[in-house]
Amino acid sequence: MRQTEHAVPAIEFRHVSKSYGDFSVLQDLNLQIAAGEVVVICGPSGSGKSTLIRTINRLENYEYGDILIAGQTTRTLRQRQLQVLRAGIGFVFQQFNLYAHLSARDNITLALRQVLGVNRDDARQRADALLAKVGLPDKADHFPAQLSGGQQQRVAIARTLAMQPSILLFDEPTSALDPEMIAEVLAVMRQLTHTGITMLVVTHEMGFARELADRIVFMDQGQILEVATPEQFFTQPAHPRAQRFLQQILPAQSGQS
C-alpha cells in the first residue's frame, strides 16, 4: 500500500538515535511508514533491527530524535499515555511469552477483560473466533506446554489480534521455531498482510519478504542503508552491504528448502 501525498504516516522516525554507553545501536534514522503498509526490516545480526521496532512502543527508549504515531509524538508520553499507545500496537516476540498456567483461550481473554473491560462471554467468543482464524479451533483448552512452538506462536498472534491493533510489530517471530513449524506461522502472517493493519516485520525469511512486503528496509550497524521495493532489493540492491547480505543468506535459505 502506498501513502498518498498528504497522508499522515502511521509511523515516522525523525533522526532517531540510541546508544548503549559508547555503542551506537541506532544512528540518525529517518523513515516513514504508511497506514496499511507491510514493511520488512532485514539485515545481519546486531544491526539494530529489533531495537528499531522496540522503540516504536517505547519498550526501548531513544535519546535523540522523535517517533510519531499517526502524527503524534511518543517522545514525551507519560506512563498512562504509553499504556494507551501500547494498546493500539500489537507486538509478537521471538519467544511466545504465553502464561504457562493459562489455557490458549485464557491467554487471549486475559487482556480483553482486564484492559478493555470485555465481559467473560464476549471475550471467550472473540478468543475462540481468533483461534479458529489462526488454525487452532480445537486447542482452546490446551495449555502452552501441550502445544508445539508453532502453535504457541499462533496463539500469541491471536492474543495480539484480540486487542484490534492498528499496528503490528513482529520481532523475528519464526526464529525460535523448528523449520517445519515456520510455514504455519508464516501462513497466518500472510493472511494479515494488506488487511489495513500496518505491519513491521523483522525477519530473515526472505521468501516472505519478497512475496508480501511493500518495501524492504535494510539495516547494518545501526543505520538504514537501503529502502526499496522487493523487486528492486532482490534483483538490483544498490548498497554493497545489501548485496553481500543477499549473497550470503539466499543460498543458505535455498539449502533449507
Side-chain angles (χ1 to χ4, degrees), residues 18-201:
K18 176 180 176 59
S19 299
Y20 296 120
D22 294 332
F23 177 67
S24 181
V25 63
L26 300 177
Q27 301 184 47
D28 194 30
L29 301 187
N30 291 281
L31 181 67
Q32 292 187 357
I33 297 161
E37 191 174 18
V38 179
V39 175
V40 165
I41 304 168
C42 63
S45 298
S47 59
K49 307 182 300 294
S50 294
T51 302
L52 179 147
I53 65 167
R54 290 172 70 90
T55 59
I56 292 171
N57 62 356
R58 295 281 302 278
L59 289 177
E60 294 269 6
N61 289 319
Y62 50 95
E63 286 90 24
Y64 302 102
D66 199 0
I67 298 174
L68 287 75
I69 304 297
Q72 301 297 311
T73 180
T74 62
R75 184 171 181 80
T76 57
L77 296 182
R78 299 177 182 272
Q79 188 59 38
R80 187 165 185 82
Q81 294 170 314
L82 272 177
Q83 292 173 350
V84 173
L85 173 75
R86 289 169 179 165
I89 300 176
F91 204 121
V92 179
F93 298 86
Q94 296 179 36
Q95 303 299 329
F96 322 123
N97 294 341
L98 298 178
Y99 292 105
H101 65 290
L102 296 180
S103 68
R105 178 189 292 118
D106 289 342
N107 264 283
I108 298 170
T109 61
L110 183 65
L112 284 172
R113 298 178 61 197
Q114 293 190 356
V115 177
L116 299 185
V118 178
N119 67 55
R120 181 187 296 272
D121 289 341
D122 288 346
R124 180 187 177 98
Q125 186 176 19
R126 191 182 300 184
D128 287 352
L130 285 167
L131 285 169
K133 183 173 184 175
V134 299
L136 298 172
D138 57 339
K139 303 297 184 182
D141 295 317
H142 286 59
F143 291 88
Q146 298 172 299
L147 302 173
S148 70
Q151 290 170 339
Q152 289 184 61
Q153 189 63 292
R154 284 188 279 164
V155 172
I157 292 172
R159 177 182 60 184
T160 300
L161 292 174
M163 303 299 289
Q164 298 180 314
S166 59
I167 296 171
L168 272 177
L169 309 176
F170 293 86
D171 186 9
E172 300 197 33
T174 61
S175 65
L177 301 178
D178 293 333
E180 63 268 23
M181 297 178 186
I182 291 174
E184 61 192 44
V185 173
L186 292 178
V188 171
M189 294 172 63
R190 184 177 288 107
Q191 295 174 27
L192 300 175
T193 59
H194 309 119
T195 60
I197 301 175
T198 306
M199 292 176 59
L200 268 72
V201 184

